[in-house]
Amino acid sequence: MPSPNAAVLLDVRRLTKIYTTGFLKTVSVVGCQDVSFLVERGEIVALLGESGSGKTTVANLILRIFRPTSGEILLAGKDVFSYPPRVYYAKVQQIFQDPYAAFNYFYRVDRVLHRALTFKHQRLASAERRERIMEVLDIVGLNPSEVLGRYPHQLSGGQLQRLLIARALLIEPDLVVADEPTSMIDASSRAGILNHLFDLKDRGIAILFITHDVGQAAYIADKAVVMHKGKVVEQGPASQVLFSPTHPYVQRLLSDVPKLREKWDFSRELEGAALFKDQPR
Ligand SMILES: Nc1ncnc2c1ncn2[C@@H]1O[C@H](COP(=O)(O)OP(=O)(O)O)[C@@H](O)[C@H]1O
Ligand SMILES: [Mg+2]
């Protein structure tokens, strides 16, 4: 057996998930097929693909929500299912697509932070708890007086998502799986959320950043793994995969991104204006 590479945190090996659904007649749906990639400690890996390509299936397998049909996932060289749940979820955490769904509406949001601290450090004096919470709120740019003591419905999606990043900072896992963490956030808060993911990286936390957005992947990721119809079609350094893709699917994904650096063709705009001029008012 080859000696384990200490830099490798997550080793996804030939992962396949076939869903079987149906009531009278069983139907098999491929969730993901033969998916392999590595996440090294402290790096951001983008798992990129259009809707239905199998990204959430891979995320849920890593989060142990269900077992793979075949293949395996190793965390620090050991099968993920060999870890007791408490140990595993101290190492692997999730940031949800829908921050509203991650909070219990009956409790103030502080509870999520306190529970995270209890999860990580069983005994911590209340002054120290407060200090740790203030520190992480400051990192994610939240004003304590605007969020502490509030209920989830009193906060915006962007604020709740920042709280979840603060929660991850308190737990200090080795890996955060972030499945489309900006898709339900208003556009003005998106860049902030992406930037705060870098705060996790600064603490040595690796991130599997799941997105259908090539721009976000290019902005944030060290490495990109592109999925299409359940399979990995291309992977490598983000700059290489996203800026000079070889696979036609990635080229098509890229061509859908607005080209910010390209000069606007005003003559085409004038053509349009001319067309309007001929329209009866
Ligand atoms: N629980 C499920 N039961 C049956 N099919 C599913 C289930 N979850 C996902 N699928 C199917 O698996 C494929 C991949 O879905 P998913 O992993 O959610 O993709 P993505 O996150 O990239 O949009 C899709 O065809 C989807 O319909
Ligand atoms: Mg998904």
Side-chain angles (χ1 to χ4, degrees):
M1 205 175 125
S3 66
N5 179 353
V8 173
L9 175 65
L10 191 79
D11 185 350
V12 175
R13 294 185 172 177
R14 309 202 63 174
L15 202 59
T16 297
K17 171 72 187 173
I18 313 284
Y19 296 103
T20 45
T21 54
F23 176 53
L24 292 173
K25 191 167 165 276
T26 316
V27 184
S28 297
V29 179
V30 176
C32 67
Q33 198 175 0
D34 221 5
V35 168
S36 300
F37 62 89
L38 299 175
V39 178
E40 295 197 2
R41 289 187 183 274
E43 74 175 351
I44 301 183
V45 176
L47 191 58
L48 177 70
E50 65 191 354
S51 177
S53 58
K55 308 181 297 295
T56 297
T57 298
V58 172
N60 287 344
L61 287 165
I62 294 168
L63 293 163
R64 307 202 324 191
I65 290 166
F66 38 66
R67 284 180 181 264
T69 307
S70 63
E72 58 181 350
I73 307 172
L74 308 181
L75 182 79
K78 281 179 16 184
D79 188 292
V80 292
F81 285 101
S82 71
Y83 291 89
R86 216 189 150 80
V87 175
Y88 192 68
Y89 294 112
K91 293 175 188 291
V92 178
Q93 277 287 318
Q94 177 181 21
I95 292 177
F96 300 84
Q97 180 168 19
D98 178 3
Y100 288 95
F103 286 85
N104 185 327
Y105 271 49
F106 294 109
Y107 296 106
R108 292 185 169 89
V109 296
D110 317 29
R111 186 171 182 261
V112 157
L113 301 176
H114 282 286
R115 281 171 67 104
L117 270 178
T118 311
F119 186 72
K120 188 73 184 182
H121 316 276
Q122 306 272 334
R123 275 179 280 274
L124 211 57
S126 68
E128 202 175 334
R129 275 174 173 267
R130 200 178 150 72
E131 198 178 308
R132 294 290 307 274
I133 288 176
M134 293 300 168
E135 183 198 355
V136 293
L137 289 180
D138 185 50
I139 294 173
V140 301
L142 285 173
N143 181 343
S145 68
E146 282 175 14
V147 293
L148 295 181
R150 304 272 178 111
Y151 288 93
H153 71 271
Q154 298 176 304
L155 301 175
S156 72
Q159 284 174 315
L160 293 178
Q161 203 61 303
R162 281 168 196 235
L163 277 171
L164 292 175
I165 295 172
R167 173 179 177 273
L169 283 166
L170 289 173
I171 295 181
E172 290 184 304
D174 294 327
L175 175 69
V176 164
V177 177
D179 191 352
E180 311 244 14
T182 66
S183 63
M184 296 182 78
I185 306 289
D186 50 298
S188 61
S189 304
R190 275 187 201 145
I193 297 295
L194 287 184
N195 287 335
H196 289 306
L197 291 178
F198 286 119
D199 295 328
L200 297 175
K201 183 183 154 112
D202 287 345
R203 299 279 178 109
I205 300 172
I207 302 171
L208 183 64
F209 179 75
I210 296 177
T211 185
H212 61 272
D213 186 323
V214 184
Q216 290 193 13
Y219 180 66
I220 203 164
D222 302 303
K223 222 162 73 185
V225 177
V226 183
M227 289 186 72
H228 182 49
K229 294 184 178 165
K231 293 184 177 167
V232 172
V233 291
E234 194 159 358
Q235 64 173 307
S239 53
Q240 190 181 314
V241 170
L242 302 174
F243 292 104
S244 41
T246 54
H247 195 278
Y249 169 69
V250 191
Q251 288 168 349
R252 184 165 66 73
L253 271 185
L254 262 182
S255 67
D256 291 342
V257 179
K259 293 177 187 61
L260 297 176
R261 284 187 209 89
E262 220 167 66
K263 271 198 178 158
W264 183 252
D265 182 358
F266 284 102
S267 64
R268 279 175 52 198
E269 196 171 22
L270 289 175
E271 264 169 38
L275 272 177
F276 271 112
K277 230 169 55 187
D278 294 341
Q279 298 286 316
R281 285 180 194 252

